[in-house]
């Protein structure tokens, strides 16, 4: 069997799976939408003959009756890794309120709805929670991307960056965020750094970010910031090898301050630099990447 890269995209309806699939199609992947899970193994074997080395497959709640079989089908694919199969499983998620808003704006019917007309808000929330429970086991097999506060172009960039990381190594994702915009649902670990000295209260530093030297210089001089960075590193130094030994493909470490502009950004940059020689490492700055902090009156 020749090398074959498979990207499986799944997750909540309305979370952006079509956006991710289009990004992969643009990147040269042979893409298939809504493949029944029971056909996954046979389909993958067929691709070695017909469609080259890179395939992306979307599976979601439209295959609700057979979704419980998908974790077992993924286990079968795991056994093919020795034969040259490289598997990425991406689960796109978003907060319930975000999903309700997206369905309301587009007036699309949820795939699990039994009605032919758009559901009322309360009924739609119940359907979304039903879907979340249905996909719970599958979520545990995947790298989760929270699309609640990101644009389509940002999601495309995240997906492409993930696929550049080695499929046979654990990838460590550091993500900054602002608590005022919500905790990311894709985080494996969340560290709250809102108690640290805040550059926001210096009028010269306020418009800058944790990637600017002036802010970094300010934060480096704060003993509590150094202590927080040390404590997070000690935690990761102990547990990352354990997670890797348990065959985790991705670990997302989210660091949050109030607005996601100064302290969390600084610590993500410092930690990513520290660990990039040990692990495949990615950096995300949710609020900065989405430019949400630019339009906010107070971003501290």
């Amino acid at each position: 069997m020749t090398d074959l890269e498979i990207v499986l995209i799944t997750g909540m309806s309305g979370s952006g799976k079509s956006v991710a699939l289009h990004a992969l199609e643009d990147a040269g992947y042979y893409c298939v939408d809504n493949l029944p899970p029971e056909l996954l193994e046979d389909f993958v074997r067929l691709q070695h003959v017909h469609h080259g080395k890179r395939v992306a497959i979307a599976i979601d709640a439209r295959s609700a009756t057979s979704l419980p079989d998908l974790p077992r089908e993924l286990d079968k694919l795991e056994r093919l890794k020795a034969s040259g199969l490289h598997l990425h499983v991406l689960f796109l998620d978003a907060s319930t309120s975000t999903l309700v808003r997206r369905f309301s704006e587009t007036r699309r019917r949820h795939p699990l709805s039994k009605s032919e007309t758009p559901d009322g808000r309360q009924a739609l929330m119940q359907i979304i929670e039903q879907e979340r429970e249905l996909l719970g086991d599958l979520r545990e097999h995947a790298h989760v991307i929270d699309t609640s506060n990101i644009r389509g172009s940002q999601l495309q960039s995240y997906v492409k960056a993930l696929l550049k990381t080695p499929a046979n190594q654990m990838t460590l994702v550091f993500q900054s965020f602002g608590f005022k915009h919500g905790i990311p649902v894709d985080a494996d670990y969340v560290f709250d750094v809102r108690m640290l000295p805040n550059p926001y209260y210096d009028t010269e530093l306020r418009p800058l970010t944790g990637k600017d030297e002036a802010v970094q210089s300010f934060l480096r001089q704060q003993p509590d910031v150094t202590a927080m960075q040390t404590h997070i590193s000690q935690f990761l130094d102990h547990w990352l090898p354990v997670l890797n030994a348990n065959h985790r493909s991705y670990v997302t470490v989210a660091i949050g301050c109030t607005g996601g502009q100064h302290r969390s950004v600084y610590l993500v940059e410092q930690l990513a630099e520290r660990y990039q020689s040990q692990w495949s490492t990615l950096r995300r700055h949710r609020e900065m990447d989405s430019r949400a902090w630019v339009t906010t009156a107070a971003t501290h």
Side-chain angles (χ1 to χ4, degrees):
M1 182 180 289
T2 58
D3 282 354
L4 175 65
E5 182 180 2
I6 297 289
V7 181
L8 178 64
I9 300 175
T10 186
M12 299 295 292
S13 301
S15 61
K17 293 185 296 298
S18 61
V19 173
L21 201 63
H22 289 155
L24 294 173
E25 188 171 31
D26 291 343
Y29 284 76
Y30 176 77
C31 297
V32 178
D33 192 13
N34 197 24
L35 182 75
E38 59 268 28
L39 300 180
L40 182 59
E41 183 180 12
D42 289 340
F43 177 80
V44 168
R45 293 184 183 278
L46 185 63
Q47 301 320 299
H48 285 283
V49 178
H50 293 293
H51 292 292
K53 296 183 177 181
R54 300 196 297 177
V55 178
I57 304 167
I59 299 177
D60 54 37
R62 290 171 291 178
S63 301
T65 56
S66 53
L67 265 181
D69 297 330
L70 187 51
R72 184 169 62 252
E73 296 299 323
L74 291 178
D75 288 338
K76 293 179 182 178
L77 294 187
E78 289 287 337
R79 293 194 289 270
L80 296 177
K81 283 186 174 181
S83 302
L85 175 69
H86 304 288
L87 177 64
H88 300 269
V89 184
L90 306 183
F91 187 104
L92 305 189
D93 202 351
S95 66
T96 297
S97 60
T98 298
L99 296 174
V100 169
R101 174 176 54 79
R102 289 175 182 172
F103 274 102
S104 298
E105 289 174 350
T106 61
R107 304 209 43 93
R108 290 175 51 227
R109 187 166 60 91
H110 193 284
L112 296 183
S113 173
K114 295 180 174 60
S115 170
E116 292 301 323
T117 59
D119 302 277
R121 180 180 178 85
Q122 194 62 36
L124 182 56
M125 290 178 66
Q126 294 176 353
I127 291 171
I128 289 172
E129 293 308 315
Q130 176 188 347
E131 181 183 28
R132 204 177 292 283
E133 182 176 353
L134 178 66
L135 296 173
D137 289 342
L138 181 56
R139 195 179 193 276
E140 297 300 316
H141 286 73
H143 173 64
V144 181
I145 300 178
D146 180 4
T147 70
S148 303
N149 295 297
I150 63 175
R151 294 167 288 123
S153 58
Q154 194 175 343
L155 173 58
Q156 291 178 346
S157 296
Y158 283 2
V159 170
K160 291 176 181 178
L162 279 170
L163 297 183
K164 291 179 181 177
T165 61
N168 58 349
Q169 296 181 16
M170 187 174 75
T171 296
L172 185 56
V173 181
F174 286 104
Q175 177 175 224
S176 69
F177 72 96
F179 274 93
K180 67 188 302 180
H181 302 297
I183 299 175
V185 300
D186 54 359
D188 295 297
Y189 300 101
V190 175
F191 293 94
D192 182 353
V193 301
R194 287 175 291 182
M195 76 293 291
L196 299 180
N198 194 347
Y200 174 84
Y201 296 109
D202 184 321
T203 56
E204 293 185 359
L205 300 179
R206 184 176 299 177
L208 304 179
T209 78
K211 297 178 74 172
D212 291 309
E213 175 55 35
V215 173
Q216 293 180 357
S217 178
F218 171 87
L219 291 172
R220 277 196 296 266
Q221 297 174 40
Q222 310 301 321
D224 283 347
V225 175
T226 301
M228 176 65 76
Q229 183 176 334
T230 299
H231 293 158
I232 295 174
S233 297
Q234 289 172 340
F235 176 86
L236 296 176
D237 287 344
H238 180 86
W239 290 109
L240 288 179
V242 178
L243 291 165
N244 186 54
N246 279 270
H247 307 292
R248 285 289 296 273
S249 298
Y250 304 95
V251 176
T252 299
V253 179
I255 300 176
C257 57
T258 305
Q261 179 180 346
H262 295 114
R263 295 163 291 179
S264 60
V265 171
Y266 170 79
L267 284 169
V268 160
E269 290 293 316
Q270 298 303 306
L271 291 165
E273 184 174 350
R274 181 187 191 281
Y275 286 98
Q276 64 185 2
S277 63
Q278 302 170 248
W279 308 96
S280 178
T281 304
L282 296 175
R283 313 174 194 201
R284 297 178 188 162
H285 298 295
R286 190 184 72 182
E287 274 34 282
M288 286 177 54
D289 292 346
S290 66
R291 299 297 179 185
W293 60 273
V294 172
T295 61
T296 315
T299 54
H300 59 290

